[in-house]
Amino acid sequence: MKILFYDTKSYDKDTFTRELEHYPGIEIKFLKTDLTHNTAELSHGYDAVCAFVNSNIGTKTVEILHENGIRLILMRCAGFNNVDLATAHRYGIRILRVPGYSPEAVAEHAMGLALTVNRRLHKSYIKVRENDFSLGSLMGFNFHRKTAGIVGTGKIGAAMARICHGFGMNVLAFDVYENPALKDFAAYVSLDKLLAESDLVSLHCPLTDSTYHMINRETIQKMKDGVILVNTSRGALVKTEDLIEGIRAHKFFGVGLDVYEEETPNVFEDRSDEILEHSVTARLLSFPNVMITSHQGFFTREALAAIAQTTLDNVRVFESGEASPNDVNA
Ligand code: NAI
């Protein structure tokens, strides 16, 4: 089985090459370029392609893949909103994905952001490097005995709830479904109550029509003054303009973002030599109590190894012809 991997970085190559020794008969060629209708032609002579979150697998791309004899699209991520499923299925191309890999990776990063903005670690790192050993502006507050509000208690939200419980926090939860795994230490409440009572609000629900801009001027007003907001889920859960307004009004003690609305052209790219035209990210970064990371929540050894294993298991499933819960259906 010959697979062409698109949009690969050195860490993808390293992780998959390590796992590959357990999967004899699978051959991989790694490409740096991403999969689009301009690069789909390169798949000639392969059985499958493997793509990532920002690949553009629209109608034209799928048509070229089909003409090249591709029978399998492997998504090495959970999302598949970038794939024209109907066209792929019409051509009999199977799509398999990695629905979950390491919830703890993302949850631990969420707590990392919360701790960073709380204790101003991003400021103290710079200060001490400049021989400034003063403590001015670094005062935080204890998480112990404060309240954490977890919005979305699926795999990642549940892991974050466990971490907050471990910190000695009182845990409030909001979800459209209650997760029984949390019943011993978390209380499900309405979103309004969660916002009103939480010292730390952490977002862990998917981006859907009902969650789009769920954090906006109105919901920010419902939050406690001096709250910490963390978003490791999807940028558009938060209406950025309203967040900036809230930060300017001193509503937040701190804001930690692993995702933000404008992130798409930035994610995983080194743009340090460029003058960025849009100013929203720059405006957010201008505030001393905001910390932004670039969609790195998933980025641990364990998560990458799990992604590689599931992707290669998906190849085996394809070869066996069996159905799988990892199948993406239109
Ligand atoms: P999951 O599917 O296990 O959990 C999502 C939870 O959100 C479910 O319990 C669902 O009922 C709940 N939910 C759905 N609509 C809701 C609403 N309107 N209000 C409140 N809760 C709602 O998903 P998982 O694995 O926990 O991932 C959560 C999100 O984390 C993903 O959707 C993705 O956006 C993000 N993510 C971020 C990564 C990163 O690197 N920063 C990596 C992986 C995922």
Side-chain angles (χ1 to χ4, degrees):
M1 182 92 175
K2 288 176 71 183
I3 309 168
L4 186 61
F5 269 52
Y6 283 90
D7 192 23
T8 52
K9 308 278 192 239
S10 58
Y11 45 82
D12 297 308
K13 195 172 171 182
D14 292 348
T15 318
F16 273 92
T17 305
R18 228 182 349 260
E19 292 300 327
L20 208 50
E21 59 185 71
H22 307 297
Y23 296 84
I26 299 178
E27 236 178 88
I28 293 180
K29 163 100 174 153
F30 296 97
L31 290 184
K32 282 190 179 151
T33 189
D34 206 350
L35 176 56
T36 68
H37 63 269
N38 292 316
T39 58
E41 197 54 64
L42 300 168
S43 65
H44 189 74
Y46 290 86
D47 305 295
V49 293
C50 180
F52 199 46
V53 273
N54 289 317
S55 307
N56 179 345
I57 317 173
T59 312
K60 209 163 157 193
T61 308
V62 175
E63 279 169 357
I64 299 168
L65 294 176
H66 167 66
E67 281 159 24
N68 280 356
I70 294 298
R71 294 171 298 134
L72 170 65
I73 298 173
L74 294 160
M75 299 303 294
R76 54 178 194 282
C77 54
F80 49 85
N81 52 302
N82 48 343
V83 188
D84 180 347
L85 299 180
T87 308
H89 288 132
R90 185 149 41 83
Y91 289 133
I93 298 176
R94 192 166 170 188
I95 301 153
L96 287 156
R97 68 179 180 126
V98 184
Y101 26 96
S102 176
E104 286 76 18
V106 184
E108 288 174 15
H109 190 70
M111 183 46 100
L113 286 170
L115 284 170
T116 299
V117 294
N118 181 353
R119 306 305 295 270
R120 306 293 199 237
L121 301 182
H122 56 305
K123 305 295 279 182
S124 51
Y125 173 72
I126 308 280
K127 275 164 70 99
V128 172
R129 279 172 73 97
E130 298 292 328
N131 292 344
D132 175 358
F133 306 105
S134 65
L135 295 180
S137 80
L138 300 183
M139 194 191 291
F141 64 89
N142 287 10
F143 277 147
H144 185 239
R145 296 211 168 134
K146 299 295 187 312
T147 298
I150 311 296
V151 182
T153 53
K155 293 181 284 296
I156 298 171
M160 181 61 171
R162 283 192 294 271
I163 291 171
C164 292
H165 177 61
F167 269 66
M169 300 184 84
N170 170 35
V171 182
L172 298 180
F174 171 73
D175 198 308
V176 285
Y177 302 105
E178 295 196 4
N179 182 343
L182 305 190
K183 73 172 177 0
D184 290 342
F185 63 89
Y188 278 90
V189 294
S190 68
L191 183 60
D192 281 2
K193 188 169 162 67
L194 180 148
L195 296 176
E197 295 186 8
S198 299
D199 302 284
L200 164 65
V201 173
S202 195
L203 306 179
H204 300 286
C205 45
L207 178 60
T208 62
D209 288 347
S210 70
T211 61
Y212 178 76
H213 283 179
M214 73 191 299
I215 301 301
N216 53 44
R217 181 183 291 169
E218 202 185 314
T219 45
I220 289 170
Q221 271 166 5
K222 290 177 180 166
M223 293 182 192
K224 241 182 172 174
D225 288 341
V227 63
I228 289 177
L229 174 69
V230 169
N231 186 9
T232 55
S233 199
R234 283 293 177 267
L237 295 183
V238 179
K239 188 170 178 196
T240 314
E241 289 296 332
D242 293 0
L243 176 66
I244 289 171
E245 187 184 281
I247 296 168
R248 288 215 167 108
H250 299 266
K251 184 75 185 176
F252 297 96
F253 189 80
V255 175
L257 305 174
D258 189 44
V259 291
Y260 51 96
E261 285 190 292
E262 253 182 22
E263 72 177 34
T264 305
N266 300 345
V267 167
F268 311 146
E269 300 301 327
D270 178 0
R271 303 186 72 194
S272 48
D273 277 343
E274 291 177 43
I275 294 170
L276 302 185
E277 282 163 22
H278 298 289
S279 65
V280 176
T281 314
R283 252 195 295 161
L284 277 174
L285 285 170
S286 72
F287 300 116
N289 56 347
V290 174
M291 168 86 183
I292 299 186
T293 53
S294 185
H295 212 129
Q296 69 176 79
F298 75 100
F299 197 50
T300 64
R301 274 200 300 267
E302 290 78 3
L304 288 189
I307 290 170
Q309 283 158 13
T310 306
T311 304
L312 295 170
D313 286 344
N314 284 343
V315 177
R316 290 285 183 248
V317 163
F318 173 79
E319 288 171 329
S320 74
E322 286 163 18
S324 162
N326 300 346
D327 266 308
V328 180
N329 297 310

